[in-house]
Structures are given as structure tokens and as C-alpha cells.
Amino acid sequence: MLKVKSRIEDLAIFGGPSAFSDELHVGRPNIGQREAFLERVNDLLDRRWLTNDGPYLKQLEQRISKLVEVRSCIAVCNATVGLEIAIKAAGLAGEVIIPSFTFIATAHALDWQQITPVFCDINPATHNIDPSCVEQLITERTTGIIGVHLWGRPCDVEELQDIASRHKLKLLFDAAHAFGCSFNGQMIGNFGNAEVFSFHATKFLNTFEGGAVVTNDDELAAKIRLMRNFGFAGYDIVSSFGTNGKMSEVSAAMGLTSLESLEKFVAANYRNYKEYRQQLAEVPGVSLLTYNQDEKCNYHYIVLEIDEGALGITRDQLDGILWAENVLSRRYFYPGCHRMEPYRTRSAQASLSLRETEKLAARVLCLPTGTAVGSDEISAICDIIKFVADEGCVVKERMLKQPLRHHPLKK
Ligand code: T4K
């Protein structure tokens, strides 16, 4: 039963009952047809082929290549390892320019192989790496750029490609959020030297854990394929450096099943996005990140930007209020990679040149969506936000006076 708020005391943070009896998460997995998945699991158990280039993996790679309209798809155990392999196979070394406003995996995939991630500021309008800042960061040690299509919204691909070509740099994209999205009518996956999708449980399409590297460069694809399997070119023949980046058959079976429901997942996300947009349209200090509907979008993230001055409370205060109501909103990607270890210690000055990143990291809040969330939940979440907006100053005062019963950083 959803609890309605009409007085300040009704807010769970001030002692009222939580709006939701069960926790509402950002990142609840989308699950396809259970029967189809279980049939595949039975089949792979009967065949006793559990991993290592199995038939489901091959099918998944073919279907993704077709959907993304790209020459090669190499499925991997997760996007982080996918990034590590793509980085190695593309020959990156020295320094690589990436945005700081991303999941920490983008930076760690470089640092893991002694490559320095050089953090670049973002364009506040797009939340993506700002090409006009990239060029200033290029040194003689720079070998590449990794753009991140944050929230599934494409980077400024053309500008980045132009910079990479002029400076003879490799260009990769962390497309962890962007499966099923397009840029100028062309599917994400076709840009730069290679792009990497994530199929983690919390992503638009999931294989439990998983990901894929996609590329139109046949030579690079062959290298990546070898590296995914320890460099084995045949029985007893190791022809290159490699790791274990393989995707298992059960993950591939989940991927194939998820692909069959992809239209349903987009429809649910789009419906949720429209509801949030309509219900939050008039709320001062709360703006919902929009998607370009002329492109293919997966609408997988509901991203708010909070303007403290207009709303009356900070993003973190709103986060605390929502958590008390059992709405586990997320401050992705606070505080920015440059403020996380080991990068923070190495470069204490980084924040000076990352002004937009710093500002945005204090404003963004992601809300629950996906197939696990329906209209009633969205209305209840928006009602809480609207109530708080109406009572902004009073809520703020009350929060200052009273120690929080609940702490949003319980994780
Ligand atoms: N690049 C970018 C830009 C990325 O965003 C990511 C991953 C990567 C690279 C690396 O991709 P992978 O190597 O993971 O394939 C989550 C995910 O773990 C991470 O994959 C994702 N980005 C990131 C944006 O979100 P956390 O720390 O928020 O995870 P966690 O455990 O808090 O889960 C999020 C919410 O989802 C929780 O509230 C609970 C819910 N959940 C989670 C799982 C795993 C479920 O309801 N069911 C589940 O099975 O990082």
C-alpha cells in the first residue's frame, strides 16, 4: 500500500511510515521469457557444453552483430574486461583521455594495465566528455581517447573522431549504457576503433554478468577474439597475450532470451520516462534529462538534475528523503572518478580543471525505472518529490534541526 503525504510529519525521514513497504531499486534487472530461458538452460545442460565458444555464444554474437549492424561482435564476461581487452588490443599505452564523470570501471580498465587515465571535463548539457577540453589534455604520451555514451546518449562522436584523426590517436567508446541506441541514425557500436557494451544485471539487456566488444575492424576483432581466450589460436598454440574474458553459455542463453524481449524493455522504459516527464514537468528545481526521440534510445536511465536554489533542498537531502521512503535513488556517478582512489591521491589538483564535472556530480540523482516499475510507483515517487518541492524551505529547516533517522549511504 502506498502511503500519501499531506503533512511534513508524514515523510518517513521525520517519522512517518515509508511510502513503499518494499525497497524500490535503480537497476532492477529486466527479465525476458522465463520458459524460453529455462529451455535453453536444460538444452545446454543436456549438451554438456557450458562455456568456451559454445553454440549459444555464437548465436548471441551473430544476433548482436545484426542488430547493431556491425561486422564483429565478441561477447565477454563483463564490460570491464571487455574494455581491458579492447584497450590492450588497440595498443593503448602511456596516457588515455577519459571523462571523470563515469563509472569507475572506465578508469580502472586503463590503470589495471599501467595506463594513466587523464580526466577530462564534461559538457553540462550532454553529461558527456567535452571535445573542446580534450585537445588541451593531449601530450606526447597520449595514445587514445575513450568516450562514454553516458545514460545511452551518444557522445559528440564526430568531434572526437576529428581530434583522434588529427592527433593520430586511437578512439574507443565505453558504450556500457548504450546498447540499442543510435547516433545520426547509425547504431552505437559502429564508431571509433571499437565500442564496448555492458550486459550486467542492472543494464538494459542483461546476461547476468557480461558484455561485448564490437568493431568494424577485422584485424582488431581477430586480436580481441584471441585475447579473450588466453591468446589460444588452437590446441596448445598460444599466439598472443591474453586473459580469460569468455562469456559462459548460461549467460549467452540469458542474452538470447533478453534479446527476444528487447522491444518490451524499451516500451516499459519509454512509458516510465514519459510518466516521469509529465509528472515532474512543473516542479521547480527538478529537471529530467531528455532523450532525442529522433534517434533509437533505450531510455534506461531516469536522471534528475537538482537545483538546490529552486527546490529548497539539496540533491543529497532529497536522496535521504527518498531512501527513507524505500526509494533507493542513486547518485550516479558521484563524486567523479578523480575523487576516488587511487586517482584522488595521485592528482589532488584534478578538481580544479573539472568544474562542470564537480557541479554535475552534486546535482544528479537517478530514479527507479525498467520493467519492474509501474505507473503507481512512479506516481507515488513523483508525489513525494512534488510534496517536498512545495514544502522545500520547511523541510530544509526541519532537517537541520533533527538528526537523520536514516542515512542514505548505508551501502
Ligand atoms: N562503464 C560504465 C559507464 C558503466 O556504467 C559500467 C557499469 C561499466 C563500464 C562496467 O560494466 P560491467 O563490468 O559491470 O559489465 C552498477 C553495476 O554493477 C555496474 O555494472 C554499472 N555500470 C553501474 C552503473 O551500476 P552499483 O555499484 O550501482 O551496483 P549495485 O550492486 O548497487 O546495484 C544497483 C542496484 O540494482 C541495487 O540497488 C540493487 C539492484 N540490483 C542489482 C543486481 C546486481 C538488483 O535488483 N538485482 C541484481 O541482480 O553498480
Side-chain angles (χ1 to χ4, degrees):
M1 186 68 184
L2 310 173
K3 312 277 186 317
V4 181
K5 313 284 166 189
S6 53
R7 300 167 311 142
I8 294 281
E9 295 72 33
D10 292 338
L11 288 172
I13 202 157
F14 301 133
S18 295
F20 296 92
S21 44
D22 295 325
E23 293 180 337
L24 223 66
H25 294 269
V26 174
R28 215 60 172 154
N30 290 325
I31 315 254
Q33 291 291 327
R34 204 172 282 239
E35 289 311 318
F37 170 66
L38 294 175
E39 207 172 295
R40 287 186 169 110
V41 173
N42 273 326
D43 176 51
L44 72 90
L45 292 176
D46 287 346
R47 273 192 278 109
R48 291 178 190 266
W49 197 280
L50 305 187
T51 186
N52 288 19
D53 239 354
Y56 283 144
L57 179 103
K58 286 183 180 144
Q59 268 185 47
L60 181 69
E61 291 184 340
Q62 277 167 10
R63 298 220 181 137
I64 291 173
S65 300
K66 199 165 166 222
L67 197 139
V68 175
E69 296 161 346
V70 67
R71 283 180 68 84
S72 298
C73 167
I74 304 107
V76 286
C77 55
N78 59 58
T80 309
V81 170
L83 280 167
E84 285 168 13
I85 295 175
I87 287 163
K88 186 89 181 168
L92 298 187
E95 294 176 0
V96 170
I97 299 167
I98 65 169
S100 172
F101 197 65
T102 178
F103 190 61
I104 196 68
T106 323
H108 282 350
L110 291 162
D111 202 54
W112 194 256
Q113 39 201 325
Q114 287 77 51
I115 300 168
T116 306
V118 174
F119 297 119
C120 183
D121 214 356
I122 41 108
N123 175 344
T126 65
H127 297 192
N128 283 327
I129 191 165
D130 183 347
S132 71
C133 301
V134 170
E135 223 148 358
Q136 302 157 23
L137 298 172
I138 297 173
T139 70
E140 53 195 21
R141 295 192 69 227
T142 309
T143 57
I145 304 166
I146 304 181
V148 181
H149 305 299
L150 211 74
W151 322 127
R153 304 195 321 167
C155 291
D156 194 339
V157 169
E158 284 157 343
E159 270 288 306
L160 292 173
Q161 188 57 68
D162 177 57
I163 296 170
S165 305
R166 278 191 286 107
H167 293 271
K168 300 195 170 35
L169 302 175
K170 292 283 172 19
L171 178 62
L172 300 178
F173 289 101
D174 176 337
H177 301 180
F179 187 68
C181 303
S182 69
F183 171 73
N184 281 351
Q186 199 175 5
M187 294 305 283
I188 299 280
N190 285 279
F191 303 105
N193 299 91
E195 304 206 51
V196 182
F197 297 120
S198 170
F199 302 143
H200 179 259
T202 57
K203 292 295 186 293
F204 171 55
L205 174 122
N206 90 80
T207 60
F208 301 117
E209 288 273 2
V213 187
V214 289
T215 178
N216 286 312
D217 178 336
D218 293 349
E219 212 177 303
L220 186 62
K223 269 194 194 172
I224 292 169
R225 216 169 263 291
L226 273 176
M227 282 186 181
R228 175 184 66 176
N229 187 23
F230 311 101
F232 273 113
Y235 286 122
D236 310 326
I237 307 163
V238 172
S239 66
S240 85
F241 176 84
T243 184
N244 183 352
K246 291 169 284 153
M247 177 186 276
S248 73
E249 281 292 273
V250 76
S251 283
M254 184 67 168
L256 286 167
T257 312
S258 302
L259 273 179
E260 287 161 359
S261 294
L262 216 59
E263 295 303 319
K264 273 195 198 151
F265 300 163
V266 185
N269 284 347
Y270 183 51
R271 180 202 63 212
N272 292 348
Y273 164 69
K274 279 194 301 186
E275 290 209 14
Y276 274 116
R277 196 178 56 183
Q278 193 225 326
Q279 297 204 35
L280 295 175
E282 306 295 327
V283 184
V286 174
S287 48
L288 176 70
L289 190 95
T290 57
Y291 292 96
N292 177 357
Q293 298 191 31
D294 295 336
E295 297 286 355
K296 285 202 166 133
C297 300
N298 60 29
Y299 301 96
H300 187 62
Y301 288 94
I302 295 294
V303 185
L304 301 185
E305 268 187 63
I306 305 302
D307 175 349
E308 179 190 350
L311 181 61
I313 58 169
T314 65
R315 182 275 311 270
D316 288 353
Q317 286 171 327
L318 179 61
D319 192 37
I321 289 168
L322 290 173
W323 272 63
E325 304 292 348
N326 264 339
V327 180
L328 308 192
S329 43
R330 293 297 297 265
R331 303 182 299 173
Y332 291 136
F333 288 99
Y334 174 83
C337 296
H338 67 291
R339 283 190 179 268
M340 291 177 166
E341 296 299 355
Y343 315 107
R344 181 173 62 170
T345 304
R346 281 190 210 154
S347 179
Q349 301 300 308
S351 53
L352 297 177
S353 56
L354 297 170
R355 296 231 164 81
E356 300 300 344
T357 303
E358 293 266 313
K359 278 193 246 164
L360 193 68
R363 289 165 62 96
V364 164
L365 195 63
C366 294
L367 297 181
T369 183
T371 48
V373 179
S375 282
D376 290 351
E377 283 100 350
I378 293 174
S379 292
I381 295 170
C382 293
D383 284 349
I384 298 166
I385 297 174
K386 284 190 261 185
F387 177 73
V388 165
D390 287 343
E391 306 289 338
C393 293
V394 190
V395 173
K396 186 166 196 150
E397 237 170 72
R398 179 83 184 253
M399 286 183 98
L400 289 175
K401 278 192 207 145
Q402 162 184 328
L404 296 187
R405 260 189 352 127
H406 154 88
H407 196 279
L409 304 177
K410 70 180 178 190
K411 189 178 168 189

